[in-house]
Amino acid sequence: MDTYMSQEDLQKVFDQVTRNVTKEVAGIQLHPGNAPPYGELCTVYTSFNKGFYSGLSFSAGINFFTRLTRFMLQTEDVSLQYVEDFTKEYLNILCGHIASELYQITKVPSRFLVPTFHHGHYQPEGFQQQFEIDYFSKRSKGVQLIHYIPNQK
């Protein structure tokens, strides 16, 4: 990122946008928590490759992502492929809102890559964790947003 923004301010933006988008897009209210994801864990990940060079992952149990997909599709019958596709679309929407909010603050346009879906925890190569934000929802404990920055050389 070309304009300085403190980690605390950045974390506040990510937290607020994540909670707002998750409520709007998935109908799930996230609350601050301190339990890491558990169960059959899945992670959706993307990296910003212009303006704001970093990575972002969102991890939760498969039940969280299934619930998200059911809400987005407005049906109970969802396949694993739908869960993967709609989870990637969720992160795509989330990152679009984050990029927009960061632009309003920094005036630096950001671009991000197409999100990828992973079973289990995903740690991107060449990146280190800058911060994580843990959440829980009414029916899901252990939802986690992790922001990555490039490894220092």
Side-chain angles (χ1 to χ4, degrees), residues 1 5 10 13-14 17-18 21 46-54 56 90-113 147:
M1 187 167 51
M5 192 171 179
L10 188 63
V13 168
F14 277 62
V17 170
T18 298
V21 167
T46 192
S47 59
F48 289 82
N49 64 346
K50 180 180 178 197
F52 184 66
Y53 298 96
S54 65
L56 187 67
Y90 161 78
L91 189 65
N92 195 44
I93 294 166
L94 177 62
C95 287
H97 283 264
I98 288 171
S100 176
E101 186 68 26
L102 291 175
Y103 179 77
Q104 295 300 315
I105 296 167
T106 66
K107 303 302 183 218
V108 175
S110 297
R111 301 284 184 264
F112 54 93
L113 300 175
H147 182 249

Short mmCIF file of all heavy atoms in Angstrom, two decimals, residues 1 5 10 13-14 17-18 21 46-54 56 90-113 147:
data_model
loop_
_atom_site.label_atom_id
_atom_site.label_comp_id
_atom_site.label_asym_id
_atom_site.label_seq_id
_atom_site.Cartn_x
_atom_site.Cartn_y
_atom_site.Cartn_z
N MET A 1 0.85 -1.16 0.00
CA MET A 1 0.00 0.00 0.00
C MET A 1 0.89 1.22 0.00
O MET A 1 1.86 1.30 0.72
CB MET A 1 -0.90 -0.04 1.23
CG MET A 1 -1.93 1.03 1.25
SD MET A 1 -3.22 0.77 2.48
CE MET A 1 -2.33 0.47 3.95
N MET A 5 -1.14 3.41 6.77
CA MET A 5 -2.34 3.21 7.58
C MET A 5 -1.91 2.31 8.73
O MET A 5 -1.30 1.27 8.50
CB MET A 5 -3.43 2.55 6.74
CG MET A 5 -4.76 2.55 7.35
SD MET A 5 -5.95 1.98 6.09
CE MET A 5 -7.40 2.06 7.07
N LEU A 10 -6.30 -0.37 10.13
CA LEU A 10 -6.55 -1.37 9.10
C LEU A 10 -7.43 -2.49 9.66
O LEU A 10 -8.40 -2.92 9.03
CB LEU A 10 -5.22 -1.92 8.58
CG LEU A 10 -5.26 -2.83 7.38
CD1 LEU A 10 -5.79 -2.10 6.16
CD2 LEU A 10 -3.86 -3.38 7.10
N VAL A 13 -11.04 -1.42 9.95
CA VAL A 13 -11.72 -1.43 8.65
C VAL A 13 -12.10 -2.86 8.28
O VAL A 13 -13.25 -3.13 7.92
CB VAL A 13 -10.84 -0.80 7.55
CG1 VAL A 13 -11.41 -1.08 6.16
CG2 VAL A 13 -10.67 0.70 7.77
N PHE A 14 -11.16 -3.79 8.37
CA PHE A 14 -11.43 -5.18 8.02
C PHE A 14 -12.55 -5.75 8.88
O PHE A 14 -13.44 -6.44 8.39
CB PHE A 14 -10.17 -6.03 8.15
CG PHE A 14 -9.26 -5.96 6.97
CD1 PHE A 14 -8.68 -4.77 6.58
CD2 PHE A 14 -8.96 -7.09 6.24
CE1 PHE A 14 -7.84 -4.70 5.48
CE2 PHE A 14 -8.12 -7.04 5.14
CZ PHE A 14 -7.56 -5.84 4.76
N VAL A 17 -16.08 -4.01 8.00
CA VAL A 17 -16.55 -4.44 6.69
C VAL A 17 -16.95 -5.92 6.72
O VAL A 17 -17.99 -6.30 6.18
CB VAL A 17 -15.49 -4.17 5.60
CG1 VAL A 17 -15.88 -4.83 4.27
CG2 VAL A 17 -15.27 -2.68 5.41
N THR A 18 -16.16 -6.75 7.37
CA THR A 18 -16.47 -8.18 7.45
C THR A 18 -17.80 -8.42 8.14
O THR A 18 -18.64 -9.19 7.67
CB THR A 18 -15.35 -8.94 8.18
OG1 THR A 18 -14.14 -8.79 7.44
CG2 THR A 18 -15.68 -10.43 8.33
N VAL A 21 -20.73 -6.98 5.77
CA VAL A 21 -20.95 -7.79 4.56
C VAL A 21 -21.51 -9.16 4.92
O VAL A 21 -22.42 -9.66 4.25
CB VAL A 21 -19.64 -7.91 3.74
CG1 VAL A 21 -19.76 -8.99 2.66
CG2 VAL A 21 -19.29 -6.57 3.12
N THR A 46 -7.61 -15.04 -0.86
CA THR A 46 -7.23 -14.24 -2.02
C THR A 46 -6.07 -13.34 -1.65
O THR A 46 -5.77 -13.16 -0.47
CB THR A 46 -8.40 -13.39 -2.57
OG1 THR A 46 -8.02 -12.88 -3.85
CG2 THR A 46 -8.75 -12.25 -1.64
N SER A 47 -5.43 -12.79 -2.66
CA SER A 47 -4.37 -11.81 -2.39
C SER A 47 -4.65 -10.55 -3.21
O SER A 47 -5.22 -10.61 -4.29
CB SER A 47 -3.00 -12.38 -2.73
OG SER A 47 -2.93 -12.77 -4.08
N PHE A 48 -4.27 -9.44 -2.63
CA PHE A 48 -4.34 -8.16 -3.31
C PHE A 48 -3.03 -7.99 -4.07
O PHE A 48 -1.95 -8.15 -3.49
CB PHE A 48 -4.51 -7.01 -2.30
CG PHE A 48 -5.86 -6.99 -1.65
CD1 PHE A 48 -6.15 -7.81 -0.57
CD2 PHE A 48 -6.85 -6.15 -2.11
CE1 PHE A 48 -7.39 -7.78 0.04
CE2 PHE A 48 -8.10 -6.12 -1.51
CZ PHE A 48 -8.37 -6.94 -0.43
N ASN A 49 -3.11 -7.71 -5.35
CA ASN A 49 -1.89 -7.66 -6.16
C ASN A 49 -1.65 -6.29 -6.79
O ASN A 49 -0.78 -6.15 -7.64
CB ASN A 49 -1.92 -8.74 -7.24
CG ASN A 49 -3.03 -8.53 -8.25
OD1 ASN A 49 -3.93 -7.73 -8.03
ND2 ASN A 49 -2.98 -9.25 -9.34
N LYS A 50 -2.42 -5.29 -6.36
CA LYS A 50 -2.19 -3.93 -6.85
C LYS A 50 -2.60 -2.96 -5.76
O LYS A 50 -3.69 -3.07 -5.21
CB LYS A 50 -2.99 -3.65 -8.11
CG LYS A 50 -2.76 -2.24 -8.64
CD LYS A 50 -3.55 -1.96 -9.89
CE LYS A 50 -3.28 -0.51 -10.29
NZ LYS A 50 -4.27 -0.03 -11.22
N GLY A 51 -1.72 -2.02 -5.46
CA GLY A 51 -2.03 -0.97 -4.50
C GLY A 51 -1.89 -1.40 -3.06
O GLY A 51 -1.30 -0.72 -2.25
N PHE A 52 -2.42 -2.52 -2.75
CA PHE A 52 -2.48 -3.01 -1.37
C PHE A 52 -1.98 -4.44 -1.39
O PHE A 52 -2.76 -5.36 -1.57
CB PHE A 52 -3.92 -2.91 -0.90
CG PHE A 52 -4.16 -3.27 0.52
CD1 PHE A 52 -3.65 -2.51 1.55
CD2 PHE A 52 -4.93 -4.37 0.84
CE1 PHE A 52 -3.89 -2.84 2.87
CE2 PHE A 52 -5.17 -4.72 2.14
CZ PHE A 52 -4.66 -3.95 3.16
N TYR A 53 -0.69 -4.63 -1.29
CA TYR A 53 -0.08 -5.95 -1.46
C TYR A 53 -0.18 -6.75 -0.18
O TYR A 53 0.59 -6.54 0.75
CB TYR A 53 1.38 -5.81 -1.92
CG TYR A 53 1.48 -5.11 -3.25
CD1 TYR A 53 1.72 -3.75 -3.33
CD2 TYR A 53 1.27 -5.81 -4.42
CE1 TYR A 53 1.79 -3.10 -4.55
CE2 TYR A 53 1.33 -5.18 -5.66
CZ TYR A 53 1.59 -3.82 -5.70
OH TYR A 53 1.64 -3.20 -6.92
N SER A 54 -1.14 -7.66 -0.14
CA SER A 54 -1.34 -8.50 1.04
C SER A 54 -2.24 -9.67 0.67
O SER A 54 -2.67 -9.80 -0.47
CB SER A 54 -1.97 -7.67 2.17
OG SER A 54 -3.26 -7.24 1.82
N LEU A 56 -5.58 -12.29 2.24
CA LEU A 56 -6.69 -12.35 3.19
C LEU A 56 -7.32 -13.73 3.13
O LEU A 56 -7.65 -14.22 2.04
CB LEU A 56 -7.73 -11.29 2.83
CG LEU A 56 -8.86 -11.10 3.82
CD1 LEU A 56 -8.33 -10.54 5.14
CD2 LEU A 56 -9.90 -10.16 3.25
N TYR A 90 -18.56 -15.02 -1.84
CA TYR A 90 -18.64 -14.25 -0.59
C TYR A 90 -17.34 -13.47 -0.36
O TYR A 90 -17.36 -12.28 -0.08
CB TYR A 90 -18.93 -15.18 0.59
CG TYR A 90 -18.60 -14.59 1.93
CD1 TYR A 90 -19.44 -13.66 2.53
CD2 TYR A 90 -17.42 -14.95 2.59
CE1 TYR A 90 -19.12 -13.10 3.76
CE2 TYR A 90 -17.10 -14.39 3.80
CZ TYR A 90 -17.94 -13.47 4.39
OH TYR A 90 -17.61 -12.92 5.60
N LEU A 91 -16.20 -14.15 -0.49
CA LEU A 91 -14.92 -13.45 -0.28
C LEU A 91 -14.70 -12.40 -1.36
O LEU A 91 -14.15 -11.33 -1.08
CB LEU A 91 -13.74 -14.43 -0.23
CG LEU A 91 -12.42 -13.78 0.20
CD1 LEU A 91 -12.50 -13.30 1.65
CD2 LEU A 91 -11.26 -14.74 0.04
N ASN A 92 -15.14 -12.66 -2.55
CA ASN A 92 -15.04 -11.69 -3.63
C ASN A 92 -15.81 -10.41 -3.26
O ASN A 92 -15.30 -9.29 -3.42
CB ASN A 92 -15.60 -12.31 -4.92
CG ASN A 92 -15.22 -11.55 -6.15
OD1 ASN A 92 -14.09 -11.15 -6.32
ND2 ASN A 92 -16.19 -11.37 -7.03
N ILE A 93 -17.01 -10.57 -2.76
CA ILE A 93 -17.82 -9.43 -2.33
C ILE A 93 -17.15 -8.72 -1.16
O ILE A 93 -17.04 -7.49 -1.14
CB ILE A 93 -19.25 -9.89 -1.96
CG1 ILE A 93 -19.98 -10.40 -3.20
CG2 ILE A 93 -20.03 -8.75 -1.29
CD1 ILE A 93 -21.26 -11.17 -2.90
N LEU A 94 -16.70 -9.50 -0.19
CA LEU A 94 -16.04 -8.93 0.99
C LEU A 94 -14.82 -8.10 0.59
O LEU A 94 -14.65 -6.96 1.02
CB LEU A 94 -15.63 -10.05 1.95
CG LEU A 94 -14.87 -9.63 3.21
CD1 LEU A 94 -15.72 -8.71 4.08
CD2 LEU A 94 -14.44 -10.87 3.99
N CYS A 95 -13.98 -8.65 -0.28
CA CYS A 95 -12.77 -7.93 -0.70
C CYS A 95 -13.11 -6.69 -1.53
O CYS A 95 -12.41 -5.68 -1.44
CB CYS A 95 -11.84 -8.87 -1.47
SG CYS A 95 -11.04 -10.06 -0.39
N GLY A 96 -14.16 -6.76 -2.32
CA GLY A 96 -14.60 -5.58 -3.06
C GLY A 96 -14.97 -4.45 -2.12
O GLY A 96 -14.60 -3.29 -2.34
N HIS A 97 -15.67 -4.78 -1.05
CA HIS A 97 -16.05 -3.77 -0.06
C HIS A 97 -14.82 -3.25 0.70
O HIS A 97 -14.73 -2.05 0.99
CB HIS A 97 -17.08 -4.33 0.91
CG HIS A 97 -18.46 -4.39 0.34
ND1 HIS A 97 -19.40 -3.41 0.54
CD2 HIS A 97 -19.05 -5.32 -0.44
CE1 HIS A 97 -20.52 -3.73 -0.09
NE2 HIS A 97 -20.33 -4.89 -0.70
N ILE A 98 -13.90 -4.15 1.02
CA ILE A 98 -12.67 -3.73 1.70
C ILE A 98 -11.87 -2.80 0.80
O ILE A 98 -11.41 -1.74 1.24
CB ILE A 98 -11.83 -4.95 2.14
CG1 ILE A 98 -12.50 -5.66 3.31
CG2 ILE A 98 -10.40 -4.53 2.51
CD1 ILE A 98 -11.88 -7.00 3.69
N ALA A 99 -11.70 -3.17 -0.47
CA ALA A 99 -10.95 -2.33 -1.41
C ALA A 99 -11.60 -0.96 -1.55
O ALA A 99 -10.90 0.07 -1.59
CB ALA A 99 -10.84 -3.02 -2.77
N SER A 100 -12.91 -0.93 -1.59
CA SER A 100 -13.63 0.34 -1.71
C SER A 100 -13.42 1.21 -0.46
O SER A 100 -13.16 2.41 -0.57
CB SER A 100 -15.12 0.07 -1.91
OG SER A 100 -15.85 1.27 -1.93
N GLU A 101 -13.52 0.60 0.69
CA GLU A 101 -13.33 1.34 1.95
C GLU A 101 -11.90 1.85 2.06
O GLU A 101 -11.67 3.00 2.47
CB GLU A 101 -13.67 0.44 3.14
CG GLU A 101 -13.65 1.15 4.47
CD GLU A 101 -14.76 2.18 4.64
OE1 GLU A 101 -15.82 2.06 4.00
OE2 GLU A 101 -14.55 3.13 5.43
N LEU A 102 -10.93 1.03 1.71
CA LEU A 102 -9.52 1.46 1.76
C LEU A 102 -9.26 2.59 0.78
O LEU A 102 -8.50 3.52 1.08
CB LEU A 102 -8.58 0.29 1.50
CG LEU A 102 -8.55 -0.77 2.60
CD1 LEU A 102 -7.69 -1.94 2.19
CD2 LEU A 102 -8.07 -0.18 3.92
N TYR A 103 -9.91 2.54 -0.37
CA TYR A 103 -9.74 3.62 -1.34
C TYR A 103 -10.29 4.93 -0.77
O TYR A 103 -9.67 6.00 -0.96
CB TYR A 103 -10.43 3.29 -2.67
CG TYR A 103 -10.27 4.42 -3.66
CD1 TYR A 103 -9.07 4.59 -4.34
CD2 TYR A 103 -11.29 5.33 -3.87
CE1 TYR A 103 -8.90 5.65 -5.23
CE2 TYR A 103 -11.13 6.38 -4.77
CZ TYR A 103 -9.93 6.54 -5.43
OH TYR A 103 -9.75 7.59 -6.30
N GLN A 104 -11.42 4.87 -0.10
CA GLN A 104 -12.00 6.08 0.50
C GLN A 104 -11.03 6.72 1.50
O GLN A 104 -10.99 7.94 1.62
CB GLN A 104 -13.32 5.76 1.21
CG GLN A 104 -14.41 5.28 0.29
CD GLN A 104 -14.77 6.30 -0.78
OE1 GLN A 104 -14.91 7.48 -0.51
NE2 GLN A 104 -14.89 5.84 -2.01
N ILE A 105 -10.26 5.90 2.18
CA ILE A 105 -9.33 6.40 3.20
C ILE A 105 -7.99 6.81 2.60
O ILE A 105 -7.45 7.87 2.92
CB ILE A 105 -9.10 5.32 4.29
CG1 ILE A 105 -10.42 5.05 5.02
CG2 ILE A 105 -8.01 5.73 5.27
CD1 ILE A 105 -10.41 3.79 5.87
N THR A 106 -7.44 5.98 1.71
CA THR A 106 -6.07 6.18 1.23
C THR A 106 -5.97 6.78 -0.17
O THR A 106 -4.91 7.25 -0.56
CB THR A 106 -5.32 4.83 1.18
OG1 THR A 106 -5.93 3.98 0.20
CG2 THR A 106 -5.30 4.15 2.54
N LYS A 107 -7.04 6.70 -0.94
CA LYS A 107 -7.07 7.13 -2.35
C LYS A 107 -6.14 6.27 -3.22
O LYS A 107 -5.73 6.68 -4.29
CB LYS A 107 -6.72 8.61 -2.51
CG LYS A 107 -7.63 9.53 -1.73
CD LYS A 107 -9.08 9.34 -2.14
CE LYS A 107 -9.97 10.32 -1.40
NZ LYS A 107 -11.24 9.76 -1.01
N VAL A 108 -5.83 5.07 -2.76
CA VAL A 108 -5.01 4.13 -3.51
C VAL A 108 -5.91 2.99 -3.99
O VAL A 108 -6.50 2.28 -3.17
CB VAL A 108 -3.86 3.56 -2.64
CG1 VAL A 108 -3.09 2.48 -3.39
CG2 VAL A 108 -2.95 4.67 -2.16
N PRO A 109 -6.06 2.82 -5.31
CA PRO A 109 -6.91 1.72 -5.80
C PRO A 109 -6.22 0.37 -5.58
O PRO A 109 -5.01 0.25 -5.73
CB PRO A 109 -7.06 2.02 -7.29
CG PRO A 109 -5.90 2.88 -7.64
CD PRO A 109 -5.51 3.62 -6.39
N SER A 110 -7.00 -0.61 -5.18
CA SER A 110 -6.49 -1.96 -4.94
C SER A 110 -7.18 -2.94 -5.87
O SER A 110 -8.34 -2.75 -6.24
CB SER A 110 -6.75 -2.38 -3.50
OG SER A 110 -6.07 -1.56 -2.60
N ARG A 111 -6.49 -3.99 -6.21
CA ARG A 111 -7.04 -5.09 -7.01
C ARG A 111 -6.71 -6.39 -6.29
O ARG A 111 -5.64 -6.52 -5.69
CB ARG A 111 -6.43 -5.13 -8.41
CG ARG A 111 -6.62 -3.88 -9.21
CD ARG A 111 -8.04 -3.77 -9.76
NE ARG A 111 -8.19 -2.61 -10.61
CZ ARG A 111 -8.65 -1.43 -10.21
NH1 ARG A 111 -9.01 -1.25 -8.97
NH2 ARG A 111 -8.76 -0.43 -11.06
N PHE A 112 -7.60 -7.35 -6.41
CA PHE A 112 -7.35 -8.65 -5.79
C PHE A 112 -7.63 -9.75 -6.79
O PHE A 112 -8.37 -9.56 -7.76
CB PHE A 112 -8.17 -8.83 -4.51
CG PHE A 112 -9.64 -8.62 -4.67
CD1 PHE A 112 -10.49 -9.68 -4.94
CD2 PHE A 112 -10.20 -7.35 -4.54
CE1 PHE A 112 -11.85 -9.49 -5.10
CE2 PHE A 112 -11.56 -7.14 -4.69
CZ PHE A 112 -12.39 -8.22 -4.97
N LEU A 113 -7.01 -10.88 -6.56
CA LEU A 113 -7.15 -12.05 -7.44
C LEU A 113 -8.44 -12.80 -7.15
O LEU A 113 -9.06 -12.61 -6.10
CB LEU A 113 -5.95 -12.97 -7.26
CG LEU A 113 -4.58 -12.36 -7.56
CD1 LEU A 113 -3.47 -13.34 -7.23
CD2 LEU A 113 -4.50 -11.92 -9.02
N HIS A 147 -5.24 -11.57 8.05
CA HIS A 147 -4.61 -10.68 7.08
C HIS A 147 -3.12 -11.01 7.02
O HIS A 147 -2.46 -11.12 8.06
CB HIS A 147 -4.80 -9.21 7.50
CG HIS A 147 -4.20 -8.26 6.52
ND1 HIS A 147 -3.09 -7.51 6.82
CD2 HIS A 147 -4.54 -7.95 5.25
CE1 HIS A 147 -2.79 -6.78 5.77
NE2 HIS A 147 -3.64 -7.03 4.81
#
